[in-house]
Amino acid sequence: SKQGPGRPRKNIGNDDTRATFIISAALLRKIKFISVMDGCLQKDTISAALNEYINRWEAENGRIPTPKN
């Protein structure tokens, strides 16, 4: 079968989904720095930051409905 455009789909496991975001170079440098200092993957650093932000937002505004809730 012919492959479509973009990255080949890999089994990335868990409930993870590949996403592309545009962020400032300075922010990316800070994410990389934190990841190196904490000895973890950049995706884990980003996930932790997003989870903290979403938890704070939901505490102020109410739970965001998702299919798994």
Side-chain angles (χ1 to χ4, degrees), residues 43-63:
K43 75 177 193 89
D44 295 333
T45 301
I46 292 167
S47 289
L50 287 173
N51 279 318
E52 184 177 328
Y53 178 80
I54 290 168
N55 288 338
R56 191 170 53 238
W57 191 94
E58 287 182 324
E60 295 174 9
N61 299 285
R63 189 172 187 129

Side-chain angles (χ1 to χ4, degrees), residues 2-65:
K2 187 175 178 181
Q3 180 180 342
R7 281 183 181 252
R9 294 187 185 236
K10 293 181 183 176
N11 183 7
I12 55 179
N14 300 336
D15 193 27
D16 293 346
T17 298
R18 185 176 306 277
T20 302
F21 299 95
I22 297 172
I23 61 172
S24 72
L27 186 57
L28 180 59
R29 281 192 298 274
K30 290 179 181 185
I31 291 167
K32 288 180 178 183
F33 181 86
I34 292 168
S35 297
V36 168
M37 296 304 292
D38 288 351
C40 64
L41 299 173
Q42 291 174 36
K43 75 177 193 89
D44 295 333
T45 301
I46 292 167
S47 289
L50 287 173
N51 279 318
E52 184 177 328
Y53 178 80
I54 290 168
N55 288 338
R56 191 170 53 238
W57 191 94
E58 287 182 324
E60 295 174 9
N61 299 285
R63 189 172 187 129
I64 300 168

